[in-house]
Amino acid sequence: MSELKEKNDPVNLDIYSFSGGDEAQQQDLAGISADDRGQLLMAGMDVREAHRSGTFLQFDHAQVHCKSCQKGVEVLGINDALKKYDGLPDYFWKAIDKEQDEFTRASAAATTQGGYFIRTEKGAKISDPVQSCMFIKGENTGQNVHNVIIVEEDSEVHIITGCATSHGVSSAMHLGISEIYVKKGGHLTFTMIHNWGDDVVVRPRTVGIVEEDGVFLSNYILLNRVKSVQSYPTVYLNGRGALARFNAVIVTPKGSYVDTGNRIVLNAPDTRGEIVSRTITTGGINIARGEIIANAVPAKGHLECKGLILGDGVIHAIPELVGTKTGVELSHEAAVGKIAQEEIEYLMARGLDEDEATSTIVRGFLNVDIMGLPKELKETIDRTIAEHEGEMF
Amino acid sequence: MLNIEDLHVRIGDKEVLKGINLKIKEGETFILFGPNGSGKTTLLMAIMGFQGYEVTRGKIIFRGQDVTHMPTYERARLGIGMSFQRPPTIHGLKTKDLVQLCARDKEVDVPAMARTVNFESFLERDINDGFSGGEIKRSELLQLMAQDPYLVLFDEPESGVDLENMVLVGKTAKKLLDGPTEPSPFESMRDRRARHNTSGLIITHTGYILDYVNADRGQVMYNGVLCCDSRPNRPRDILDHISKYGYKECVRCLN
Ligand SMILES: Nc1ncnc2c1ncn2[C@@H]1O[C@H](COP(=O)(O)OP(=O)(O)O)[C@@H](O)[C@H]1O
Ligand SMILES: [Mg+2]
C-alpha cells in the first residue's frame, strides 16, 4: 500500500495557470495543425465533422469551434449558455456541490472557465453523435471546464467527449465539472476518451441524474500515459425504471496513476445499474473502483471488474456493493491476474505463436464493440491499441 | 502420417502413458476406445504438445518430422488439428475472426463454411461464450475446416451433443476426413479423393461417430497402454465386445 500512497502525490494547484488562454477565437477547424489533428482524432474528435450532429472544440480556455448541424440539439459554450439562460439556475452547480473538495472549490473560484452546454429538444432523436473536445495547448495550463448536458424528455443523443493535450505540452492540469441531466424517458450515450500527456494531472468531477425510464450509457476509454487521474463519476437513478450502464477500458503504462471507477445509486424501484471495467497495467498503477448503492426495491446491480497485469504494475480492484433495503439484488465479480494459459494454448493449437495468441487475447480483452462507437472512431481506438502492443508484452 | 514410438508421458509426478506405439497412415481413421482415466485425452494433448504433458521417453513423428519437442503452434502449422472437448471462452474474440485466424494465409469464405455447420448466426459471438455442447462441437469443426489439417484429433465427438446435432457433427467430421463427396466438373472423384488424405484419431465411448465416419482401425487404451487391435475396418467389433464383456477383458489381454 505504501507504494500506492507515494505515487499519488498531492496536487499543487498553484503551479498551474487557471486564467487566460481564452482569447483568439479560431473559428476554423481547417487551421488546426496536422499534429494536433492526430491528437484530437485519438480523443474521438473528427475535425471533418463527418457523421456528427454537432461539434464543440476548446483550446485551453478558448472556444475554437461550436456548432450544431442537426435540428433538435443545441450546442453552446457554457459562458454563452449562462448568459442566454440566466445562469442556468436549475442546472449549474446543482448536481455537484461546489464545496465537495479542493478541486470543485478551485473550479468555482477560477476567473476563467470553459466548457460546453448541450441540450436536446424534447422528443428529438439525434442520429449522429455530438462531439466535443477539450484540448490543452499551453504549458502549465490549468484548464478549468464546466459542462452541462440536458437530455430532455424522450429524446436521444450520443455525446462523444474527448480530452487531449498537444504534443508540445509537458505539464498541465485539467479540472472538469460535468453535470448531466437525463429527463423522463431520455436516452444518453456518453463516451469519454482521454488522451493526455505524460505530465498531466486530471481531476474530473462528474454527476448524472436520471429520471423515470431514463437511460444513461457511459463509455470511458483511456489508453495513453497520464501522470494522474482521479475521478469517480456518479449517477443517481432517481426515477422508476431508470437504467445506467458503464463500460470502461483502461490501460496504465509505466508512469500512469489512474484512480477511477463508477458509482451508481439506485434510488427508485425498477432501476438497474451495471458496471463493467477492463483494465490492463503495463507498469502503471490502477485503482479500479466501482460501487453500486441500492436504496429502493426492486433494484438490480451488477459490477464486473477484470484486470490484467502485463508489466510490473499494480491493479487494486475495489468493488463495493451497498444495499439498504430488503430485496435488493446486487452482485459483483472481480478478477485480477494474468492471461489464462489455457486460452493461449487454445490459440496455439490453431497455429498462432505465443505472441500472436497473447495479442489476440489482449485485443479481445480491450474490445470496445459493446460501446456502439462510430466506425472510424472504433478503428482509431483499435489502431491505438495495436500501437501499444509493443509495450504490453 | 503419424508414427508414435514407445511414448511415455508424465503429468506432474504421474506417469500416464506408459509406452504407446501407434501408426496412422495417410487417409486412415483410427478409433481409440478405453475407460475413463486411461489416458486417451492425454495422448491427444501430448500429440498437440501442450504444457504439462511431459514426454519422458519415445517420440512422435508427423509426416516424417520429429515433432516430439516442437511448440504447439508449429505442430498446428504442420497440419495437426484438434477439436477441444472443453475449449475456453475468449472475451472479445469473435468466432468469425478466430475461424479466419485458423485459415492463416489461405483464402476462406467464412460465412459459407459456417453455413455448412449451421453456425452463421454465431459468427459475431465471442468464441465459446455460452455455447452449448453441440455448439462447441460445430464451432470446433468450423475452425478445423478453416485450418484444413492433415491429421484431425477429435476427443469424444458425441459428448454433450443431442441427436440432431450428432447427425450434423458426424456428417461434418466425415467431410473433414473424406474430403468433398460430390464429383466436381474439374476433377474426377478419384483424383479428388487422392488429393484429400486427411487422417483422423478419434476418441469415443459410445461409438455413435462410427455411424458416420469410415473407421479403418481401432484400439483400446487401458491404463496408459494400447491393446486389442481391431481387424481392418472393424473397430466396431471392439465396441461390441466391450459392451458385452466390459473392459475387464483388457486386463487379461495385457497380462
Ligand atoms: N492435469 C492433470 N493433473 C493430474 N492428473 C491428470 C491431469 N490430467 C489427467 N490426469 C490423470 O491422467 C489420467 C488419464 O487422464 P485422461 O487422459 O484425461 O483420461 P481419459 O481421457 O482416457 O479419460 C487420469 O488418471 C487422470 O486423473
Ligand atoms: Mg478424456
Side-chain angles (χ1 to χ4, degrees):
Chain A
M1 286 314 282
S2 63
E3 186 183 4
L4 301 185
K5 282 244 169 55
E6 263 165 41
K7 287 285 183 131
N8 198 16
D9 303 327
V11 179
N12 178 6
L13 286 165
D14 297 340
I15 63 172
Y16 305 104
S17 157
F18 282 94
S19 59
D22 52 349
E23 320 80 22
Q25 291 239 353
Q26 172 189 357
Q27 282 287 356
D28 184 8
L29 290 178
I32 297 170
S33 76
D35 193 54
D36 284 351
R37 258 170 210 255
Q39 286 296 91
L40 289 170
L41 195 63
M42 297 229 301
M45 161 83 49
D46 186 339
V47 293
R48 294 166 309 153
E49 302 187 273
H51 308 293
R52 295 290 189 273
S53 64
T55 298
F56 180 87
L57 176 61
Q58 174 179 324
F59 283 179
D60 297 334
H61 292 110
Q63 180 177 317
V64 170
H65 186 79
C66 176
K67 176 169 120 187
S68 83
C69 15
Q70 209 164 309
K71 228 176 85 56
V73 61
E74 183 177 27
V75 182
L76 293 173
I78 193 70
N79 298 314
D80 293 340
L82 287 168
K83 256 181 248 151
K84 183 171 172 184
Y85 295 110
D86 305 319
L88 292 165
D90 295 334
Y91 304 105
F92 197 72
W93 288 117
K94 280 291 174 281
I96 297 176
D97 180 1
K98 266 183 213 182
E99 298 298 326
Q100 183 185 313
D101 59 30
E102 58 175 314
F103 302 106
T104 54
R105 278 194 293 274
S107 175
T111 51
T112 320
Q113 75 177 0
Y116 57 73
F117 171 82
I118 298 173
R119 173 154 75 172
T120 57
E121 276 171 21
K122 199 171 164 175
K125 310 276 186 226
I126 311 302
S127 51
D128 290 328
V130 176
Q131 61 177 357
S132 90
C133 187
M134 305 297 163
F135 198 56
I136 298 181
K137 279 178 79 81
E139 185 70 8
N140 287 325
T141 295
Q143 187 181 49
N144 176 38
V145 164
H146 196 133
N147 304 314
V148 173
I149 297 171
I150 304 168
V151 178
E152 292 289 357
E153 282 185 21
D154 298 317
S155 68
E156 189 173 333
V157 69
H158 184 173
I159 297 172
I160 298 172
T161 173
C163 293
T165 316
S166 186
H167 273 134
V169 175
S170 62
S171 164
M173 167 153 200
H174 172 91
L175 276 184
I177 307 293
S178 296
E179 299 182 280
I180 302 171
Y181 303 88
V182 178
K183 302 287 181 71
K184 189 177 169 188
H187 190 293
L188 171 67
T189 305
F190 185 72
T191 297
M192 182 177 275
I193 302 165
H194 278 171
N195 178 26
W196 303 107
D198 293 355
D199 203 10
V200 180
V201 173
V202 186
R203 293 292 180 271
R205 296 292 178 261
T206 303
V207 170
I209 294 175
V210 185
E211 294 179 6
E212 195 177 327
D213 292 325
V215 175
F216 189 123
L217 307 179
S218 162
N219 302 312
Y220 179 60
I221 298 167
L222 170 64
L223 302 172
N224 295 319
R225 197 162 101 166
V226 55
K227 183 179 181 188
S228 155
V229 173
Q230 189 275 313
S231 68
Y232 213 161
T234 300
V235 168
Y236 296 89
L237 301 184
N238 288 346
R240 181 183 278 273
L243 166 80
R245 186 178 298 138
F246 284 93
N247 289 302
V249 164
I250 295 168
V251 178
T252 52
K254 199 168 173 49
S256 278
Y257 183 98
V258 176
D259 177 346
T260 189
N262 299 106
R263 184 186 287 121
I264 300 176
V265 186
L266 308 171
N267 277 337
D270 296 317
T271 49
R272 268 188 305 144
E274 195 179 304
I275 299 172
V276 177
S277 82
R278 306 215 182 271
T279 67
I280 287 185
T281 177
T282 57
I285 294 172
N286 173 231
I287 318 292
R289 293 180 196 275
E291 185 175 20
I292 303 180
I293 302 167
N295 299 321
V297 277
K300 273 189 188 177
H302 183 69
L303 206 161
E304 182 184 315
C305 172
K306 298 254 161 82
L308 279 183
I309 301 176
L310 299 182
D312 285 324
V314 176
I315 294 178
H316 182 178
I318 313 176
E320 294 182 77
L321 303 175
V322 182
T324 64
K325 279 260 162 65
T326 306
V328 300
E329 293 173 71
L330 302 178
S331 58
H332 82 71
E333 49 183 307
V336 174
K338 58 178 184 146
I339 297 173
Q341 185 62 23
E342 193 195 11
E343 292 177 28
I344 292 181
E345 292 201 323
Y346 185 52
L347 296 182
M348 297 221 300
R350 303 298 187 229
L352 280 71
D353 67 31
E354 190 155 358
D355 280 354
E356 289 171 334
T358 307
S359 93
T360 301
I361 293 164
V362 167
R363 268 185 233 176
F365 184 81
L366 294 178
N367 182 287
V368 295
D369 280 359
I370 188 177
M371 296 184 178
L373 307 179
K375 187 163 159 281
E376 314 86 80
L377 176 55
K378 186 178 173 312
E379 284 166 5
T380 308
I381 289 163
D382 288 345
R383 207 163 43 241
T384 310
I385 291 170
E387 281 163 12
H388 278 301
E389 274 175 10
E391 73 207 32
M392 285 193 194
F393 40 82
Chain B
M1 179 69 67
L2 181 71
N3 195 355
I4 294 176
E5 294 170 19
D6 191 29
L7 189 71
H8 291 248
V9 173
R10 216 165 53 185
I11 303 176
D13 289 336
K14 185 176 174 186
E15 182 167 63
V16 177
L17 300 184
K18 304 162 184 169
I20 300 288
N21 291 289
L22 174 64
K23 264 201 182 92
I24 300 178
K25 294 199 212 98
E26 277 195 16
E28 199 173 49
T29 296
F30 185 92
I31 309 292
L32 194 54
F33 302 100
N36 284 329
S38 58
K40 303 181 297 298
T41 298
T42 303
L43 177 61
L44 261 49
M45 300 306 244
I47 294 171
M48 208 66 238
F50 288 128
Q51 241 180 47
Y53 297 83
E54 191 195 343
V55 176
T56 52
R57 195 166 3 134
K59 52 187 171 181
I60 305 168
I61 312 289
F62 177 66
R63 302 187 85 225
Q65 277 194 64
D66 188 336
V67 301
T68 318
H69 300 287
M70 232 181 228
T72 300
Y73 69 89
E74 282 182 27
R75 303 183 201 209
R77 288 180 193 179
L78 285 177
I80 305 180
M82 171 160 170
S83 167
F84 284 63
Q85 230 181 329
R86 280 176 223 89
T89 297
I90 301 179
H91 287 285
L93 176 58
K94 288 200 181 114
T95 300
K96 66 164 188 208
D97 294 331
L98 180 54
V99 175
Q100 185 62 56
L101 285 170
C102 291
R104 294 198 74 76
D105 306 327
K106 288 192 296 281
E107 287 255 348
V108 287
D109 184 343
V110 176
M113 248 178 206
R115 213 166 299 137
T116 65
V117 280
N118 197 7
F119 215 61
E120 290 156 284
S121 55
F122 291 81
L123 290 177
E124 296 294 328
R125 293 220 343 223
D126 288 357
I127 188 72
N128 300 323
D129 190 9
F131 288 8
S132 71
E135 287 157 4
I136 284 175
K137 291 292 185 291
R138 276 144 64 202
S139 154
E140 291 293 298
L141 283 167
L142 176 58
Q143 293 172 55
L144 287 174
M145 278 157 68
Q147 190 191 345
D148 193 20
Y150 288 108
L151 171 66
V152 176
L153 309 175
F154 209 155
D155 201 344
E156 298 191 25
E158 59 278 272
S159 73
V161 180
D162 60 34
L163 229 65
E164 197 183 325
N165 271 302
M166 193 57 225
V167 177
L168 185 58
V169 167
K171 285 185 170 165
T172 312
K174 179 178 169 60
K175 210 189 297 171
L176 202 57
L177 294 166
D178 291 357
T181 43
E182 313 82 34
S184 121
F186 313 106
E187 223 176 353
S188 76
M189 222 32 236
R190 203 184 58 198
D191 288 349
R192 278 198 117 176
R193 282 243 178 78
R195 204 166 47 82
H196 210 97
N197 50 6
T198 307
S199 307
L201 171 48
I202 302 177
I203 297 175
T204 179
H205 278 295
T206 62
Y208 295 153
I209 190 73
L210 300 176
D211 296 342
Y212 304 93
V213 303
N214 300 313
D216 299 294
R217 284 172 52 220
Q219 268 189 300
V220 174
M221 172 91 75
Y222 195 84
N223 198 14
V225 293
L226 288 174
C227 58
C228 312
D229 217 330
S230 74
R231 281 184 291 148
N233 302 318
R234 300 301 306 225
R236 198 183 277 279
D237 292 352
I238 297 182
L239 193 69
D240 294 342
H241 193 84
I242 296 165
S243 47
K244 250 188 249 159
Y245 308 110
Y247 284 111
K248 62 178 187 291
E249 273 295 301
C250 299
V251 184
R252 276 172 58 181
C253 196
L254 286 167
N255 287 333

